[in-house]
Amino acid sequence: MPTVRQFLTRVVSDAFEKCGYAPELGHVTRSDREDLCQFQCNGALSAAKLYRKSPMQIAAEVTDKLRDNPIFGSINAVPPGFINIILDDSFLAEKAFEMLNDERLLLPKAEKPKTIVIDYGGPNVAKPLHIGHLRTAIIGEALKRLARFLGHIVIGDVHLGDWGLQMGLIIEELRLKQPGLVYFDENHTDEYPEEPPVTLEDLNSLYPEASLRAKNDEEFRRAAQKATNELQNGRRGYVALWRHFLSVSINDLKKSYKKLNVEFDKWLGESDADKYVPELLKILEDKKIAYLSDGALVVDVALPEDEEPVPPVIISKSDGSQLYATTDLATILQRVRDFNPDEMWYVVDNRQAMHFKQVFRAARRAGLVDDGVGLYHTGFGTMNGKDGKPYKTREGGVMRLSDLIETVTEAARRKTAESETAADLPEDERERVIEQVGIAALKFGDLINHRTKDYVFDIDRFLSSEGKTGPYLQYTVVRIKSVLRKAAETGAESGEILPPENEVERALIIRLLGVGDMLLRAFEEKAPNIICEILFDIAGLFNRFYFENKIITNPDEKRRASWLSLLELVSKTISLLLDILATDVPERM
Ligand code: ARG
């Protein structure tokens, strides 16, 4: 289904063609001067240069062809050659009603769906999630849902960090604590126990202890490196142990992600790329692009036009151990084999920009992907404290994600108590509302910013019921739902949407009809903040409309029915967009 803007582009392009000009000139955009018109076409200005005529004359010829079309309220040529378009109110009403009755709200669906792997989350096994994992989860989930809604085939892969040195570290730390465990006995040939030898708490303390020890104890560090190599080479006891670590850790990760409404399609990890490493090495050798430098195997990826030095990618070190880049290259092979994607998006911190630049260039040089396959580092900035530095705990440490969610929920609890939100609800429902408000505050505090920008964590501002916040949107939807419930109770029925009666109503309909274009732009730019902006636009207009007009008590039955439909449309649209941003809305609050 084309958007209204796309439809207008077609109509205006036809007119350009009929007047003897190239149809591409008929490109229509939303107006940047809403006080003057709703849509505009600037094609006559470009046409003037191509056809050596005055732009006003061309604009006039084109508008003359269109003036009789009933979809236009007015279509005018204005100096120096713009075409200004205002749609007819009946056309707006008709379209809005059509939108309400369409399952997908007339929103666009890709004609040629792409297969897209989105790599986000990126937690590390045995290390608890911390706030560095927040943005990738929130942004990645939104992008995944957006792409999927637009009809693409999307694979959201958590890409667990489950194969690095941290595994050897905790294996060795566990050996110090429980040397008698059967996993360490090299002569053990039977099955290993099904019960994990560690609890989640054990696991959470093993890593920090081990990493501290490794800093001060050279021998321990070497042992951990050796254990990592042995694990990677398939030592049975270590693999069994590793599986336990993995399952204990994944269980916990799933719980944390659930709180954020984040769901992965695939729980693959760095370990799943391991079996592609030999093939990767073979390709690099066949293509003769890897060479030894100080004992390490490296691939050059610098280009003459680089403005900053791009160091070679290190594939393996002199002791044979593999690195982060090796895993990412092997993962590209794995993804090509398993999913044959058109695009791979890596929703990872901006600070890894150089890593991805190197990896992507090496992948291209090695021909791991076809030229047409898009590799994108969809980077993001950091969440900072009020001091402008990455957000820390009071003690200055890295904050666990679960503690952050706890902090936010507590703040939401205080705030809802103050404002007596959800005060009349039963205890468990109120508790649920508090959680939903807290998470929405956190998510919108994040998503409203362009992903590449840093932002300041300010929970009081995020929780405000005014301004561009999650709770503001939740209040708005709850308000609409409550009006619709009341209407249903009084027996007021909704009906056909009538041509708008006032400016705010008209502007609201225009916004609703523009959602499709905005979704396409958000997808193109991989920018969920665009979805936030439409949401706040629609909610703001709706709230004005609601306060300025009598809806349920409107004496004109047809108008009332029309407005109830409009409310339904607003509610459906906002709910759909919130769902793309993986944000829940309470039924009442
Ligand atoms: N586990 C990594 C980290 O904590 C993030 C992984 C991102 N994805 C990737 N394919 N490199 O930094």
Side-chain angles (χ1 to χ4, degrees):
M1 183 55 81
T3 66
V4 168
R5 189 196 55 76
Q6 288 168 336
F7 168 72
L8 289 175
T9 293
R10 214 151 63 201
V11 173
V12 177
S13 299
D14 278 352
F16 268 92
E17 198 169 22
K18 278 199 195 111
C19 296
Y21 306 114
E24 301 80 57
L25 295 164
H27 184 74
V28 171
T29 57
R30 272 284 299 284
S31 157
D32 43 30
R33 282 290 305 276
E34 259 184 89
D35 50 328
L36 299 179
C37 61
Q38 297 160 346
F39 294 89
Q40 67 187 56
C41 169
N42 302 345
L45 298 172
S46 325
K49 294 188 197 97
L50 289 171
Y51 298 94
R52 300 177 185 283
K53 268 194 191 172
S54 104
M56 269 311 272
Q57 190 191 336
I58 297 174
E61 284 171 40
V62 172
T63 48
D64 276 346
K65 280 267 179 306
L66 292 168
R67 202 166 317 281
D68 294 335
N69 190 329
I71 68 169
F72 296 114
S74 71
I75 178 159
N76 293 316
V78 291
F82 298 125
I83 298 175
N84 284 0
I85 299 173
I86 293 179
L87 291 172
D88 186 72
D89 280 345
S90 320
F91 176 74
L92 290 181
E94 235 169 74
K95 270 285 166 195
F97 198 48
E98 209 183 305
M99 183 171 175
L100 174 64
N101 292 314
D102 182 71
E103 215 180 295
R104 285 180 57 83
L105 303 178
L106 299 184
L107 294 168
K109 192 159 190 174
E111 272 160 35
K112 291 196 199 104
K114 294 180 189 170
T115 301
I116 305 171
V117 174
I118 305 187
D119 178 315
Y120 70 110
N124 299 309
V125 167
K127 300 190 205 170
L129 286 178
H130 58 78
I131 58 161
H133 295 110
L134 180 73
R135 300 207 71 188
T136 173
I138 297 182
I139 298 168
E141 181 71 19
L143 291 175
K144 181 193 78 180
R145 290 182 184 216
L146 171 64
R148 186 165 290 159
F149 178 76
L150 292 176
H152 300 289
I153 300 156
V154 190
I155 299 132
D157 180 8
V158 70
H159 198 69
L160 279 178
D162 62 355
W163 209 229
L165 181 61
Q166 87 263 29
M167 304 314 311
L169 283 167
I170 53 178
I171 290 175
E172 283 309 311
E173 190 66 28
L174 185 63
R175 188 203 303 280
L176 290 179
K177 300 223 153 56
Q178 300 187 52
L181 284 178
V182 56
Y183 304 94
F184 301 118
D185 175 2
E186 281 189 84
N187 300 321
H188 183 85
T189 47
D190 285 349
E191 297 286 298
Y192 291 95
E194 270 178 38
E195 269 304 297
V198 289
T199 63
L200 179 65
E201 284 70 49
D202 299 336
L203 201 54
N204 283 345
S205 58
L206 280 174
Y207 177 74
E209 285 165 10
S211 116
L212 190 67
R213 197 186 302 282
K215 279 204 186 90
N216 307 315
D217 181 344
E218 170 69 33
E219 201 182 321
F220 180 77
R221 195 162 57 231
R222 264 202 300 272
Q225 186 60 59
K226 180 158 171 268
T228 310
N229 289 350
E230 286 179 330
L231 166 69
Q232 295 182 348
N233 290 324
R235 176 165 159 176
R236 277 185 73 241
Y238 289 1
V239 172
L241 202 47
W242 172 80
R243 279 194 214 289
H244 284 312
F245 294 154
L246 212 60
S247 72
V248 171
S249 197
I250 289 179
N251 249 329
D252 182 52
L253 288 171
K254 284 192 176 163
K255 278 190 212 141
S256 300
Y257 283 126
K258 194 164 192 276
K259 290 213 167 109
L260 294 170
N261 279 344
V262 171
E263 297 152 3
F264 298 96
D265 304 303
K266 297 282 173 199
W267 280 81
L268 295 171
E270 294 175 351
S271 63
D272 292 286
D274 192 59
K275 60 173 181 285
Y276 292 91
V277 171
E279 185 180 345
L280 172 69
L281 295 175
K282 172 122 192 5
I283 294 174
L284 295 177
E285 189 184 322
D286 290 351
K287 300 234 156 158
K288 299 191 171 53
I289 53 178
Y291 64 95
L292 283 173
S293 162
D294 287 339
L297 188 67
V298 304
V299 175
D300 280 334
V301 287
L303 295 173
E305 63 267 29
D306 286 338
E307 279 170 12
E308 50 169 354
V310 181
V313 180
I314 307 177
I315 304 292
S316 60
K317 289 200 286 197
S318 48
D319 66 359
S321 58
Q322 290 150 10
L323 290 104
Y324 189 39
T326 327
T327 313
D328 264 325
L329 286 167
T331 302
I332 290 177
L333 274 181
Q334 173 252 318
R335 288 178 174 155
V336 170
R337 293 293 141 72
D338 289 352
F339 312 120
N340 190 23
D342 301 295
E343 294 183 2
M344 299 185 213
W345 302 5
Y346 294 79
V347 186
V348 184
D349 196 311
N350 280 340
R351 287 172 288 190
Q352 296 195 23
M354 183 53 86
H355 166 76
F356 285 107
K357 189 183 253 182
Q358 293 173 297
V359 166
F360 295 166
R361 285 186 183 179
R364 300 258 180 235
R365 277 199 74 192
L368 303 186
V369 290
D370 292 340
D371 286 345
V373 174
L375 299 171
Y376 302 95
H377 174 210
T378 310
F380 54 81
T382 50
M383 178 174 97
N384 292 335
K386 289 191 176 141
D387 59 358
K389 302 209 185 88
Y391 190 75
K392 290 264 156 52
T393 59
R394 255 182 230 170
E395 294 72 37
V398 178
M399 193 177 221
R400 285 203 186 178
L401 193 58
S402 52
D403 293 336
L404 180 76
I405 294 178
E406 193 49 41
T407 308
V408 168
T409 313
E410 272 319 305
R413 191 186 312 286
R414 256 182 283 124
K415 182 89 187 172
T416 42
E418 267 167 36
S419 58
E420 294 183 18
T421 303
D424 308 329
L425 299 183
E427 177 76 36
D428 55 339
E429 190 178 343
R430 185 168 64 236
E431 206 37 47
R432 182 84 192 109
V433 170
I434 289 170
E435 274 172 30
Q436 289 175 332
V437 167
I439 296 293
L442 183 63
K443 286 203 167 186
F444 276 82
D446 186 303
L447 289 171
I448 185 73
N449 309 288
H450 190 275
R451 62 178 161 74
T452 54
K453 299 253 156 57
D454 299 344
Y455 71 94
V456 173
F457 176 75
D458 180 351
I459 192 59
D460 291 323
R461 190 162 57 81
F462 295 175
L463 277 167
S464 166
S465 51
E466 257 140 67
K468 294 182 173 180
T469 71
Y472 166 75
L473 290 174
Q474 290 175 317
Y475 282 116
T476 303
V477 182
V478 167
R479 171 174 297 139
I480 302 175
K481 284 189 180 165
S482 121
V483 176
L484 290 173
R485 252 200 312 269
K486 254 183 237 149
E489 280 163 21
T490 61
E493 278 177 29
S494 59
E496 198 182 338
I497 296 184
L498 303 177
E501 204 178 62
N502 57 58
E503 219 29 75
V504 182
E505 185 185 3
R506 190 173 290 114
L508 182 56
I509 294 179
I510 287 280
R511 277 306 177 301
L512 291 165
L513 296 176
V515 168
D517 291 312
M518 299 296 266
L519 288 182
L520 292 174
R521 232 187 79 202
F523 173 76
E524 273 316 308
E525 297 176 21
K526 307 181 179 65
N529 65 302
I530 294 177
I531 304 176
C532 298
E533 293 295 349
I534 339 166
L535 272 164
F536 290 115
D537 253 9
I538 293 176
L541 283 166
F542 161 76
N543 281 316
R544 262 181 69 197
F545 171 72
Y546 175 75
F547 286 113
E548 287 172 11
N549 296 286
K550 278 194 195 146
I551 297 171
I552 301 188
T553 53
N554 196 309
D556 178 347
E557 214 171 288
K558 284 226 161 114
R559 184 50 65 181
R560 182 179 68 207
S562 163
W563 281 352
L564 286 175
S565 286
L566 186 58
L567 256 58
E568 254 174 63
L569 179 57
V570 171
S571 164
K572 279 191 179 175
T573 307
I574 296 186
S575 301
L576 186 143
L577 297 176
L578 284 173
D579 190 57
I580 291 180
L581 300 179
T583 303
D584 291 331
V585 179
E587 265 313 295
R588 37 186 198 172
M589 62 200 276

Tab-separated table of all heavy atoms in Angstrom, residues 536-555:
chain	number	residue	atom	x	y	z
A	536	PHE	N	5.191	11.493	19.624
A	536	PHE	CA	4.951	12.697	20.421
A	536	PHE	C	4.142	13.725	19.637
A	536	PHE	O	3.311	14.432	20.203
A	536	PHE	CB	6.268	13.284	20.922
A	536	PHE	CG	6.896	12.399	21.971
A	536	PHE	CD1	8.104	11.770	21.750
A	536	PHE	CD2	6.228	12.169	23.168
A	536	PHE	CE1	8.651	10.933	22.717
A	536	PHE	CE2	6.775	11.337	24.136
A	536	PHE	CZ	7.991	10.717	23.911
A	537	ASP	N	4.358	13.759	18.336
A	537	ASP	CA	3.559	14.646	17.489
A	537	ASP	C	2.085	14.281	17.566
A	537	ASP	O	1.225	15.128	17.765
A	537	ASP	CB	4.001	14.439	16.027
A	537	ASP	CG	4.810	15.602	15.522
A	537	ASP	OD1	5.166	16.463	16.347
A	537	ASP	OD2	5.080	15.639	14.308
A	538	ILE	N	1.815	12.987	17.371
A	538	ILE	CA	0.421	12.537	17.363
A	538	ILE	C	-0.205	12.722	18.744
A	538	ILE	O	-1.315	13.234	18.876
A	538	ILE	CB	0.333	11.051	16.931
A	538	ILE	CG1	0.751	10.921	15.455
A	538	ILE	CG2	-1.070	10.503	17.134
A	538	ILE	CD1	0.801	9.496	14.961
A	539	ALA	N	0.538	12.338	19.771
A	539	ALA	CA	-0.012	12.443	21.124
A	539	ALA	C	-0.283	13.905	21.474
A	539	ALA	O	-1.318	14.227	22.070
A	539	ALA	CB	0.947	11.817	22.132
A	540	GLY	N	0.625	14.799	21.088
A	540	GLY	CA	0.446	16.227	21.391
A	540	GLY	C	-0.802	16.776	20.713
A	540	GLY	O	-1.626	17.457	21.337
A	541	LEU	N	-0.963	16.438	19.420
A	541	LEU	CA	-2.130	16.921	18.691
A	541	LEU	C	-3.406	16.321	19.264
A	541	LEU	O	-4.416	16.995	19.423
A	541	LEU	CB	-2.003	16.579	17.203
A	541	LEU	CG	-1.042	17.487	16.438
A	541	LEU	CD1	-0.707	16.889	15.082
A	541	LEU	CD2	-1.666	18.879	16.251
A	542	PHE	N	-3.336	15.046	19.576
A	542	PHE	CA	-4.528	14.417	20.144
A	542	PHE	C	-4.925	15.109	21.441
A	542	PHE	O	-6.093	15.430	21.664
A	542	PHE	CB	-4.326	12.920	20.412
A	542	PHE	CG	-5.344	12.400	21.375
A	542	PHE	CD1	-6.650	12.172	20.965
A	542	PHE	CD2	-5.035	12.239	22.722
A	542	PHE	CE1	-7.628	11.784	21.870
A	542	PHE	CE2	-5.998	11.859	23.633
A	542	PHE	CZ	-7.302	11.625	23.207
A	543	ASN	N	-3.957	15.352	22.321
A	543	ASN	CA	-4.286	15.968	23.607
A	543	ASN	C	-4.908	17.350	23.420
A	543	ASN	O	-5.859	17.696	24.101
A	543	ASN	CB	-3.058	16.008	24.519
A	543	ASN	CG	-2.809	14.638	25.156
A	543	ASN	OD1	-3.750	13.981	25.617
A	543	ASN	ND2	-1.571	14.195	25.159
A	544	ARG	N	-4.385	18.112	22.461
A	544	ARG	CA	-4.997	19.415	22.183
A	544	ARG	C	-6.429	19.237	21.694
A	544	ARG	O	-7.355	19.897	22.161
A	544	ARG	CB	-4.192	20.147	21.102
A	544	ARG	CG	-3.223	21.145	21.700
A	544	ARG	CD	-2.476	21.871	20.601
A	544	ARG	NE	-3.330	22.776	19.840
A	544	ARG	CZ	-2.989	23.269	18.648
A	544	ARG	NH1	-1.835	22.931	18.086
A	544	ARG	NH2	-3.790	24.089	18.014
A	545	PHE	N	-6.577	18.317	20.763
A	545	PHE	CA	-7.896	18.031	20.195
A	545	PHE	C	-8.882	17.644	21.309
A	545	PHE	O	-10.009	18.130	21.371
A	545	PHE	CB	-7.755	16.913	19.159
A	545	PHE	CG	-9.048	16.372	18.639
A	545	PHE	CD1	-9.835	17.120	17.781
A	545	PHE	CD2	-9.480	15.106	19.006
A	545	PHE	CE1	-11.038	16.620	17.299
A	545	PHE	CE2	-10.677	14.597	18.537
A	545	PHE	CZ	-11.451	15.351	17.682
A	546	TYR	N	-8.415	16.809	22.199
A	546	TYR	CA	-9.253	16.282	23.270
A	546	TYR	C	-9.700	17.399	24.209
A	546	TYR	O	-10.834	17.443	24.649
A	546	TYR	CB	-8.457	15.215	24.023
A	546	TYR	CG	-9.133	14.662	25.240
A	546	TYR	CD1	-10.195	13.761	25.121
A	546	TYR	CD2	-8.704	15.033	26.516
A	546	TYR	CE1	-10.815	13.244	26.244
A	546	TYR	CE2	-9.315	14.521	27.641
A	546	TYR	CZ	-10.370	13.632	27.505
A	546	TYR	OH	-10.974	13.126	28.621
A	547	PHE	N	-8.781	18.331	24.536
A	547	PHE	CA	-9.154	19.397	25.467
A	547	PHE	C	-9.986	20.486	24.808
A	547	PHE	O	-10.747	21.172	25.472
A	547	PHE	CB	-7.902	19.987	26.126
A	547	PHE	CG	-7.333	19.045	27.149
A	547	PHE	CD1	-6.095	18.447	26.962
A	547	PHE	CD2	-8.065	18.713	28.301
A	547	PHE	CE1	-5.589	17.557	27.896
A	547	PHE	CE2	-7.557	17.826	29.240
A	547	PHE	CZ	-6.307	17.240	29.042
A	548	GLU	N	-9.875	20.605	23.495
A	548	GLU	CA	-10.591	21.690	22.830
A	548	GLU	C	-11.978	21.281	22.333
A	548	GLU	O	-12.748	22.121	21.880
A	548	GLU	CB	-9.760	22.225	21.641
A	548	GLU	CG	-8.561	23.034	22.088
A	548	GLU	CD	-7.631	23.400	20.946
A	548	GLU	OE1	-7.998	23.206	19.766
A	548	GLU	OE2	-6.513	23.873	21.244
A	549	ASN	N	-12.284	19.991	22.371
A	549	ASN	CA	-13.547	19.538	21.779
A	549	ASN	C	-14.334	18.635	22.716
A	549	ASN	O	-13.754	17.859	23.464
A	549	ASN	CB	-13.281	18.769	20.479
A	549	ASN	CG	-12.665	19.653	19.415
A	549	ASN	OD1	-13.332	20.482	18.817
A	549	ASN	ND2	-11.369	19.499	19.221
A	550	LYS	N	-15.665	18.763	22.605
A	550	LYS	CA	-16.524	17.832	23.335
A	550	LYS	C	-16.636	16.577	22.495
A	550	LYS	O	-17.072	16.630	21.353
A	550	LYS	CB	-17.927	18.435	23.454
A	550	LYS	CG	-18.058	19.415	24.585
A	550	LYS	CD	-19.550	19.650	24.802
A	550	LYS	CE	-19.746	20.888	25.649
A	550	LYS	NZ	-20.947	21.627	25.290
A	551	ILE	N	-16.276	15.462	23.071
A	551	ILE	CA	-16.357	14.248	22.275
A	551	ILE	C	-17.594	13.429	22.645
A	551	ILE	O	-18.570	13.398	21.890
A	551	ILE	CB	-15.052	13.439	22.376
A	551	ILE	CG1	-13.922	14.287	21.787
A	551	ILE	CG2	-15.170	12.105	21.630
A	551	ILE	CD1	-12.548	13.788	21.977
A	552	ILE	N	-17.591	12.836	23.834
A	552	ILE	CA	-18.729	11.979	24.192
A	552	ILE	C	-20.025	12.772	24.307
A	552	ILE	O	-21.097	12.285	23.958
A	552	ILE	CB	-18.456	11.258	25.526
A	552	ILE	CG1	-17.194	10.412	25.397
A	552	ILE	CG2	-19.633	10.354	25.891
A	552	ILE	CD1	-16.929	9.513	26.562
A	553	THR	N	-19.903	14.005	24.779
A	553	THR	CA	-21.123	14.785	25.012
A	553	THR	C	-21.513	15.631	23.803
A	553	THR	O	-22.374	16.501	23.907
A	553	THR	CB	-20.912	15.721	26.220
A	553	THR	OG1	-19.711	16.477	25.981
A	553	THR	CG2	-20.765	14.941	27.509
A	554	ASN	N	-20.866	15.377	22.679
A	554	ASN	CA	-21.184	16.170	21.491
A	554	ASN	C	-22.622	15.899	21.051
A	554	ASN	O	-23.007	14.755	20.839
A	554	ASN	CB	-20.210	15.811	20.365
A	554	ASN	CG	-20.224	16.841	19.264
A	554	ASN	OD1	-21.280	17.207	18.748
A	554	ASN	ND2	-19.044	17.335	18.924
A	555	PRO	N	-23.438	16.962	20.925
A	555	PRO	CA	-24.853	16.755	20.561
A	555	PRO	C	-25.026	16.211	19.139
A	555	PRO	O	-26.023	15.545	18.853
A	555	PRO	CB	-25.464	18.157	20.681
A	555	PRO	CG	-24.296	19.109	20.641
A	555	PRO	CD	-23.127	18.378	21.171
